[in-house]
Amino acid sequence: MSESVMHSGWWLWLAFFLAALATHIPRGSFIVAGSRAKLPAGLQRALRYAPAAALAALVMPDVLLISGELQIANPKLLATIAVFVVATRWRNAWLPFIAGMAVLWLFKF
Amino acid sequence: MNIAFRQGAREGFLHYLPLSVGLIPWALVTGVAMRGAGFSVLEAMGMNCIVFAGTAQLGTLPLIVIGAPMWMILATALALNLRFVIFSAAIAPAFEGVSRWRRILSGYLLTDGVFATCSPRMLASTDKDWRLGYYLGPSIWCWLLWQVVTLIGVLGSSVLPTNWSLDFMASIALMVLLVPIVASRPMLVAALAAGATAVTLHDLPLKLGLIAAIFVGIAAGFVGERWIADDSTKDVAL
């Protein structure tokens, strides 16, 4: 490992504390404020799309970008197709992992 | 802890269990990365307990290593976690009637996986004890699994294979969550718009592209909902 200028002791724990604040204030915001802070009904309805949007936004760059470049023909996309086919056809929860990793390894090596 | 709570906890745990597999590679990678940054075992596990967020931990590590200013560490972690404000608002109605301390605990335990898996059924249930169990059961399992597997990563950082692409299991877990959600057309529109935006804006710093993509996806779903509804009324008219 190269020499780092990382501080130690209290500096490091302060950094952890700040990262924790920046995590738990967003997480707790509406759960803790509860019924005193209500979002408008329209916004609440729009938020139903948040999980689909967030999941796709996390997955698609990982599948379509190879070291930062758009690459349609790649083993990860083939593995993704396998995962979607298996997950749509069968209810078994472990099968998508087995199929996805098998296709990835098959086309990678 | 009454019967409804325990039953909810069991159902939530069983619902989430297969998907929690996706945490394993993430936790291993996070453990290895913290050791690589030069943390002691105590420091690594301390960060893992108080931050408890893979993306925020991995995202702030490079800044901590170079001794970056505190505001930059705070701003980066905030940008990575803004999505939780949306999740927190969406799931908040399910915590109606729950005590303040349990809500604080629930906020600390909020993760992408449990939110995506459990929020639809929580919001549909009318029993507040069942809802809390259905949330805390999988959340506590998620916390335990995350801590144990990260510890394995921290302790075994030198012997794990790096060329097996095991991190792709995290993406598979997210896809498995996505499949049933995109069965409705507005949801599919939201997912495709968000995904395309995230791919287009992947060069933006601090993962801001991810946040922009979430907003675009939500807007696209909302627009798509009205558009598709209009379309079907036209069909009826014909």
Side-chain angles (χ1 to χ4, degrees):
Chain A
M1 212 194 91
S2 64
E3 200 188 327
S4 79
V5 288
M6 186 174 78
H7 308 277
S8 53
W10 69 269
W11 188 94
L12 200 56
W13 288 96
L14 180 61
F16 295 166
F17 177 72
L18 290 178
L21 272 188
T23 301
H24 299 301
I25 290 172
R27 277 181 180 168
S29 56
F30 283 93
I31 291 178
V32 175
S35 46
R36 278 174 292 132
K38 274 239 170 79
L39 283 175
L43 190 55
Q44 189 78 48
R45 261 177 70 217
L47 288 177
R48 286 189 301 134
Y49 296 104
L55 290 170
L58 285 166
V59 167
M60 268 170 71
D62 182 45
V63 168
L64 293 175
L65 301 170
I66 304 297
S67 33
E69 296 294 320
L70 185 65
Q71 207 167 307
I72 302 298
N74 78 71
K76 282 183 177 179
L77 188 63
L78 292 173
T80 301
I81 294 166
V83 169
F84 269 79
V85 169
V86 167
T88 315
R89 284 271 159 94
W90 291 284
R91 282 246 148 259
N92 186 307
W94 306 94
L95 221 48
F97 290 95
I98 297 166
M101 292 313 286
V103 170
L104 184 67
W105 285 334
L106 191 67
F107 288 94
K108 220 182 162 185
F109 301 115
Chain B
M1 302 299 128
N2 58 28
I3 292 169
F5 178 91
R6 261 180 279 155
Q7 193 177 340
R10 195 174 59 235
E11 284 176 41
F13 168 74
L14 290 175
H15 190 188
Y16 175 67
L17 180 62
L19 294 158
S20 63
V21 171
L23 272 185
I24 293 171
W26 263 101
L28 284 175
V29 166
T30 306
V32 172
M34 287 190 294
R35 280 298 265 173
F39 294 0
S40 69
V41 174
L42 180 71
E43 286 162 349
M45 292 315 290
M47 183 189 207
N48 215 47
C49 284
I50 67 170
V51 182
F52 181 53
T55 336
Q57 283 170 246
L58 291 173
T60 53
L61 270 187
L63 299 173
I64 292 173
V65 168
I66 60 164
M70 286 295 172
W71 68 263
M72 204 184 278
I73 293 168
L74 186 68
T76 305
L78 261 181
L80 292 172
N81 289 323
L82 271 183
R83 68 185 190 283
F84 285 124
V85 178
I86 297 171
F87 297 168
S88 189
I91 206 171
F95 291 93
E96 200 117 342
V98 173
S99 77
R100 168 171 275 265
W101 282 108
R102 285 176 185 167
R103 288 204 307 263
I104 291 172
L105 173 69
S106 300
Y108 166 78
L109 290 171
L110 183 65
T111 56
D112 305 68
V114 172
F115 170 75
T117 317
C118 297
S119 65
R121 279 197 219 171
M122 276 179 79
L123 293 167
S125 164
T126 52
D127 185 328
K128 88 172 160 63
D129 294 321
W130 186 90
R131 289 197 303 251
L132 188 66
Y134 192 74
Y135 177 81
L136 286 182
S139 292
I140 289 166
W141 164 247
C142 170
W143 189 90
L144 286 172
L145 186 68
W146 177 258
Q147 300 303 339
V148 169
V149 179
T150 307
L151 184 62
I152 294 171
V154 166
L155 296 176
S157 58
S158 49
V159 295
L160 289 166
T162 51
N163 59 340
W164 285 9
S165 307
L166 289 178
D167 53 332
F168 192 64
M169 285 174 72
S171 289
I172 295 180
L174 300 179
M175 289 173 206
V176 171
L177 293 174
L178 195 54
V179 168
I181 297 177
V182 296
S184 100
R185 262 201 279 171
M187 286 289 178
L188 184 62
V189 170
L192 289 176
T197 309
V199 169
T200 315
L201 299 180
H202 74 275
D203 272 339
L204 289 188
L206 308 179
K207 282 216 179 186
L208 285 171
L210 179 67
I211 293 152
I214 293 175
F215 278 109
V216 170
I218 290 171
F222 210 49
V223 170
E225 182 183 305
R226 299 185 165 199
W227 179 56
I228 289 164
D230 284 353
D231 241 29
S232 55
T233 48
K234 250 181 259 164
D235 286 348
V236 173
L238 287 169

